[in-house]
Amino acid sequence: MRDYRAGIVYGYSTTPKIIQPFKNVKLFNKKAFALIKDFNFYPYPNKYAFLTSIDRHYSEELDRNTTGLDFPMQTFYDKHFNMVRSYDLKYDLTKSIKMDFHADNNSRILEPYGAIDTKAKKDTITENILHGGLNTMYAQHAKIDYAIPFSKIPITDWITANAGYTTNYNWTRALFSADSLGNSITNGNQKTLNAQANLTTLYNKVSFLKKVNKGIQKTPPPKKAPKPTGPVDANSAWWDNVDDATKAKKKKDYLFAQYLARTLMM
């Protein structure tokens, strides 16, 4: 009985330099052009890796003839030869678009029947290895996330949103003993959208509401009429008092409006 195991693993990770072609263009310095100014992309993936492993088991069993009769004993063989390959890719296309991909592939290296004791049989195994064997299972998983750039648009900078898309695919070969049943395939996908709203930022776009958010402004008392320096005109003093009362009422109304706005913004 003999068992063989071997594998190769390779992985590469890096931090690519981001490319922003419009970053230094003065024409786009205004906030209205932030979406164009911040356009960016990465020229190559952040990470890629792959793994290949093989697992081979080979055994021969020959029972001893203890019957005393002269007849040949049959040799029994127990063997399997499997190969597993895995792939990983992580690619941030931009600051806001990120992609992940992973795949697994299982295969079986078919061997000639009986003992592997001739060059032709060994060459057959070598050729099957170089071709990756006969696939028995394949599965892949892909995911992409997108941070929607609402913050780059002045009218929607109070919204934060993220969209995601995930997909899965699986393929399984029919049993070798039941090829007529056919292979099986399953797949699926999932879409997600998460959004948050910062209402304080929205309210602050209105000058009155922005002042309310900073704190309620107390109504000052009505101004006292200055002392007369000459003859007093009763009618004039009366109108001055009315004018002060009107101002006080308006300020009370303003205070009420502040409390009302504060309550509605809670």
Side-chain angles (χ1 to χ4, degrees):
M1 182 177 71
R2 296 186 295 272
D3 289 296
Y4 306 90
R5 290 183 177 86
I8 298 175
V9 179
Y10 175 81
Y12 180 77
S13 297
T14 185
T15 305
K17 184 178 180 181
I18 192 168
I19 297 176
Q20 297 176 285
F22 305 123
K23 181 179 181 180
N24 297 319
V25 179
K26 294 182 179 180
L27 177 64
F28 302 132
N29 284 341
K30 294 183 179 180
K31 191 175 181 180
F33 299 119
L35 194 61
I36 300 175
K37 181 181 177 64
D38 292 341
F39 172 76
N40 61 87
F41 65 92
Y42 292 97
Y44 48 86
N46 311 59
K47 171 186 175 182
Y48 41 91
F50 70 83
L51 174 149
T52 300
S53 65
I54 59 174
D55 177 12
R56 184 176 187 241
H57 171 78
Y58 180 89
S59 67
E60 298 179 4
E61 181 180 342
L62 177 62
D63 294 333
R64 178 178 297 178
N65 187 349
T66 59
T67 64
L69 301 176
D70 186 16
F71 62 86
M73 301 297 293
Q74 185 177 3
T75 302
F76 295 93
Y77 299 92
D78 178 22
K79 55 186 178 179
H80 63 256
F81 200 163
N82 298 320
M83 177 183 288
V84 176
R85 300 189 296 274
S86 295
Y87 310 90
D88 273 302
L89 174 67
K90 179 178 175 59
Y91 191 0
D92 294 346
L93 300 173
T94 68
K95 288 182 178 180
S96 58
I97 303 176
K98 303 179 185 297
M99 182 185 72
D100 287 283
F101 176 83
H102 177 81
D104 293 309
N105 187 95
N106 295 350
S107 60
R108 183 171 178 178
I109 309 299
L110 299 181
E111 301 185 41
Y113 178 78
I116 309 301
D117 52 5
T118 65
K119 184 178 183 303
K121 290 183 177 181
K122 292 178 181 178
D123 289 344
T124 299
I125 294 177
T126 301
E127 184 178 354
N128 289 339
I129 292 175
L130 295 178
H131 283 84
L134 181 64
N135 289 340
T136 58
M137 189 278 292
Y138 175 80
Q140 73 177 28
H141 173 85
K143 180 181 181 183
I144 186 166
D145 293 311
Y146 177 44
I148 305 173
F150 284 124
S151 61
K152 306 298 181 182
I153 305 173
I155 197 172
T156 60
D157 60 0
W158 53 280
I159 301 174
T160 303
N162 293 279
Y165 180 78
T166 304
T167 179
N168 296 282
Y169 173 84
N170 294 275
W171 176 88
T172 305
R173 188 190 186 280
L175 297 175
F176 285 93
S177 59
D179 281 340
S180 61
L181 295 179
N183 307 323
S184 62
I185 295 175
T186 60
N187 61 74
N189 64 77
Q190 181 179 14
K191 305 176 185 69
T192 60
L193 177 63
N194 298 312
Q196 293 180 336
N198 188 333
L199 296 181
T200 300
T201 303
L202 175 62
Y203 297 147
N204 286 343
K205 293 182 179 296
V206 180
S207 178
F208 172 71
L209 299 180
K210 185 175 182 180
K211 292 179 181 179
V212 173
N213 280 328
K214 290 182 178 179
I216 300 296
Q217 298 180 6
K218 300 297 183 181
T219 303
K223 294 180 180 180
K224 293 182 179 180
K227 293 182 178 179
T229 55
V232 176
D233 185 347
N235 292 331
S236 176
W238 183 82
W239 281 110
D240 287 341
N241 290 334
V242 171
D243 186 56
D244 287 339
T246 302
K247 290 180 180 179
K249 183 178 183 303
K250 288 183 177 180
K251 290 177 180 179
K252 287 181 181 180
D253 292 341
Y254 181 69
L255 180 63
F256 173 77
Q258 290 184 88
Y259 279 112
L260 179 61
R262 190 68 176 175
T263 301
L264 295 176
M265 290 189 293
M266 292 179 61

